[in-house]
Amino acid sequence: MNVIRRLTEVLEQKLVKKIMLHEIGYETMWFMHDEIDEEIVPLNILSILAEPVICESANYTDDEGNYYTLIIIETGNVNPYEAWLVNDKVIENFAEGDSI
């Protein structure tokens, strides 16, 4: 459940608030390549992954109703691939920097 820890670390820093475990949703998903949106997982990442692609996902909704989703995919590299979405829109480099 590294995805929960990662989502919590990043959002607590960006939102400057404590996020409780019971406020986070979690699921593991399996997809075939043709089921994955290339905006979420680019072809250069997708092409190195075996099928089915196993993803971990965690989500959180803040007090203003913004919905944050983190999808993590193990790629065989030291760091897994991360896709961050805010209100269902992919946000590049979301985890970098202090503010939203």
Side-chain angles (χ1 to χ4, degrees):
M1 292 203 206
N2 291 331
V3 69
I4 292 173
R5 183 178 23 237
R6 179 72 171 144
L7 178 108
T8 302
E9 289 171 355
V10 171
L11 289 183
E12 283 183 348
Q13 179 183 358
K14 290 185 172 292
L15 300 175
V16 190
K17 79 173 264 187
K18 180 75 175 156
I19 297 173
M20 304 305 292
L21 182 60
H22 71 272
E23 298 175 302
I24 298 172
Y26 170 82
E27 65 183 312
T28 300
M29 303 165 289
W30 297 43
F31 296 103
M32 302 308 281
H33 286 183
D34 63 346
E35 298 174 311
I36 298 175
D37 186 335
E38 293 171 13
E39 185 178 350
I40 296 173
V41 183
L43 281 176
N44 65 314
I45 300 294
L46 193 58
S47 66
I48 64 171
L49 301 174
E51 290 187 300
V53 177
I54 302 170
C55 310
E56 285 187 292
S57 172
N59 59 68
Y60 171 77
T61 302
D62 69 14
D63 296 334
E64 286 81 40
N66 295 305
Y67 185 69
Y68 302 90
T69 303
L70 170 59
I71 300 168
I72 287 185
I73 302 170
E74 295 294 336
T75 62
N77 294 326
V78 173
N79 295 318
Y81 175 76
E82 293 184 356
W84 285 89
L85 293 83
V86 178
N87 298 324
D88 296 325
K89 293 186 178 154
V90 175
I91 307 295
E92 297 289 329
N93 304 312
F94 179 80
E96 298 173 12
D98 292 331
S99 61
I100 293 180

